[in-house]
């Protein structure tokens, strides 16, 4: 292969699976404050296909074509001007810039503020599985739900990419954790520390549950509505899969007044239900953060957090990885690895 070009999984238009394809394109050049990373592995997330389908156009206005992929692990191979924190050869992991993406490629640029040295004990696939889901779980539990010792916490969909990390972080903060899983996910969520597991495929998961101080909703829709019914007055529900509300636009996305107004309208019904139950409702859109990745690395080093990998695929089989992701049954994370592509 040409040394100035690389394999990348490119989104060229909004649509179904055939809207993304592997292509050979130029290797990116790092700008001010940016690192170029030789990508060894990249994590897949539901946001990858939501973006492909055009579902994020209101809040993530990117110029197509774009290399997809929100998170990666690899080795720093070049530095743009004014990089202070990293050197060539550092093993790093990152949730890349929402507006630039680029993780599904052999090389990617990422701003140094969004990267951290990856946990030493992990391989690249494990490290690449952590940034997006790990930051989401950390920011929701620590910053929005203020989970601490004795918090009675409900987490829906504990066996997925975010859920497997959220359970571990919630236990680290000292919470008492109830989660939902199908029979196929039950052993996993128990091993990760869940105190109570409810089989959501056996009927209404909320029947028999109640009195929670806080809930993290990873499903949205009817699950979110039922979750409002099991949290006690004065408690909080944070969703990452339900309906965005005005604070999402203002606090997470720094969006315009008209996006704030759209979110206000979209969330009217769920906010009214939450208010009637005396509960605070918040939809969180996670943000990239090198500082928070350093915190996650510390927890991995201490043994308080471990990645859960559902499956790994080589980059040339990324279309198959997307089929598995979109089936919606991952236990932990799906990851693609680039090591087979090395030519130098
Ligand atoms: N707002 C944000 O910043 C943000 C960040 C990250 C993720 N998200 C969103 O959060 C959601 C979860 O993400 P993820 O990465 O964890 O997804 P995921 O890994 O694809 O989730 C799959 C898991 O969810 C379980 N599941 C599916 N429906 C369920 C239900 N009704 N009740 C309980 N478990 C259920 C499945 O279990 P079974 O197959 O065993 O049934 C499977 O193990 C997605 O919608 C994603 O887009 C948002």
């Amino acid at each position: 292969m040409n040394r100035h070009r690389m394999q990348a999984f490119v989104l060229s238009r909004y649509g179904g699976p055939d809207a993304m394809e592997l292509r050979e394109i130029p290797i990116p050049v790092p700008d001010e404050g940016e690192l170029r990373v030789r990508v060894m592995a990249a994590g897949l997330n539901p946001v990858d296909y939501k973006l492909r389908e055009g579902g994020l156009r209101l809040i993530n206005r990117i110029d197509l074509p774009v290399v997809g992929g929100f998170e990666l692990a690899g080795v720093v191979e070049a530095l743009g001007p004014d990089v202070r924190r990293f050197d060539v050869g550092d093993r790093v992991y990152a949730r890349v810039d929402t507006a630039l993406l680029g993780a599904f490629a052999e090389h990617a640029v990422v701003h140094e503020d969004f990267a951290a040295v990856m946990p030493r004990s992990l391989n690249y696939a494990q490290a690449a599985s952590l940034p997006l889901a790990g930051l989401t779980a950390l920011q929701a539990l620590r910053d929005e739900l203020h989970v601490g010792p004795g918090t009675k916490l409900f987490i829906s969909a504990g066996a997925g990419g975010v859920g497997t990390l959220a359970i571990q972080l919630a236990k680290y903060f000292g919470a008492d954790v109830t989660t939902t899983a199908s029979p196929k996910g039950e052993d996993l969520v128990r091993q990760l520390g869940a105190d109570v597991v409810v089989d959501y495929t056996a009927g209404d998961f909320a029947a028999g549950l109640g009195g929670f101080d806080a809930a993290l909703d990873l499903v949205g829709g009817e699950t979110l509505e039922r979750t409002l019914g099991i949290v006690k007055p004065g408690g909080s529900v944070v969703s990452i899969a339900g309906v965005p509300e005005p604070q999402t636009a203002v606090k997470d996305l720094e969006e315009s007044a008209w996006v704030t107004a759209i979110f206000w309208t979209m969330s009217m019904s769920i906010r009214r239900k939450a208010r009637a139950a005396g509960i605070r409702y918040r939809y969180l859109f996670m943000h990239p953060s090198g500082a928070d990745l350093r915190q996650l690395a510390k927890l991995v080093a201490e043994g308080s957090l471990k990645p859960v990998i559902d499956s790994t695929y080589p980059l040339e089989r990324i279309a198959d990885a997307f089929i598995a992701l979109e089936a919606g049954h991952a236990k932990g994370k799906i990851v693609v690895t680039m090591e087979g592509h090395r030519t130098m």
Side-chain angles (χ1 to χ4, degrees), residues 44-47 49-50 95 132-133 136 156-164 180-185 200-201 205 217-219 223 239-241 283-287 325 327-333:
L44 273 70
N45 295 280
V47 69
Y49 63 80
K50 293 180 183 177
R95 155 66 161 84
L132 193 146
T136 305
S156 51
V162 177
T164 49
T180 49
S182 74
K184 286 187 175 163
Y200 81 93
T201 64
F205 73 86
D217 167 57
L218 310 183
V219 180
T223 299
S239 178
I240 60 163
Y283 178 96
L284 173 75
F285 202 89
M286 60 80 61
H287 58 271
L325 175 77
H329 301 299
K331 304 290 173 283
K333 292 288 308 261

Side-chain angles (χ1 to χ4, degrees), residues 113-137:
D113 290 350
F114 299 159
V117 171
M118 65 181 244
R120 262 171 207 271
S121 58
L122 302 185
N123 62 33
Y124 290 111
Q126 290 172 317
S129 75
L130 282 179
L132 193 146
L135 294 178
T136 305

Side-chain angles (χ1 to χ4, degrees), residues 10-260:
V10 178
L11 174 69
S12 46
R13 63 185 163 80
Y14 294 115
D18 61 355
M20 291 184 91
E21 60 179 11
L22 274 174
R23 274 198 216 156
E24 199 177 291
I25 62 167
I27 291 175
V29 177
D31 211 334
E32 201 172 308
E34 288 180 342
L35 324 168
R36 190 173 73 223
V37 178
R38 187 152 57 101
V39 183
M40 296 299 200
L44 273 70
N45 295 280
V47 69
D48 292 310
Y49 63 80
K50 293 180 183 177
L51 174 85
R52 186 197 67 209
E53 288 164 350
L56 299 184
R57 263 180 290 187
L58 182 65
I59 53 168
N60 196 10
R61 292 172 285 276
I62 41 177
D63 295 328
L64 302 184
V66 70
V67 178
F70 282 79
E71 60 183 350
L72 57 79
V75 183
V76 176
E77 59 178 356
L79 304 177
D82 296 331
V83 168
R84 290 165 295 112
R85 204 178 260 281
F86 297 93
D87 281 320
V88 169
D90 285 347
R91 285 155 48 100
V92 296
Y93 70 150
R95 155 66 161 84
V96 300
D97 188 325
T98 311
L100 298 178
L101 311 183
F104 297 147
E106 293 176 294
H107 307 262
V109 291
V110 54
H111 196 280
E112 67 167 339
D113 290 350
F114 299 159
V117 171
M118 65 181 244
R120 262 171 207 271
S121 58
L122 302 185
N123 62 33
Y124 290 111
Q126 290 172 317
S129 75
L130 282 179
L132 193 146
L135 294 178
T136 305
L138 180 67
Q139 291 164 8
L141 297 172
R142 181 194 62 190
D143 305 338
E144 298 296 334
L145 291 171
H146 309 292
V147 168
T151 302
K152 193 167 170 337
L153 175 71
F154 174 75
I155 301 173
S156 51
V162 177
T164 49
L165 301 176
I167 291 170
Q168 296 178 73
L169 290 174
K171 292 310 294 178
Y172 168 77
F173 288 131
D176 184 79
V177 177
T178 296
T179 194
T180 49
S182 74
K184 286 187 175 163
E186 179 174 352
D187 284 352
L188 172 64
V189 297
R190 281 198 196 282
Q191 281 162 26
L192 296 173
D195 300 287
V196 178
V197 183
V198 180
D199 176 4
Y200 81 93
T201 64
D204 178 5
F205 73 86
L209 293 180
F212 290 96
D213 302 308
L216 176 55
D217 167 57
L218 310 183
V219 180
E222 203 180 308
T223 299
L224 169 58
E225 304 237 348
R226 289 186 188 167
T227 300
L228 292 179
I230 61 173
V231 173
K232 63 189 187 194
S236 295
V237 174
V238 168
S239 178
I240 60 163
V243 190
E245 38 77 36
Q247 274 203 70
T248 318
V250 175
K251 203 171 155 189
D252 302 339
L253 301 169
E254 294 173 9
E255 269 294 354
S256 60
W258 74 270
V259 171
T260 309

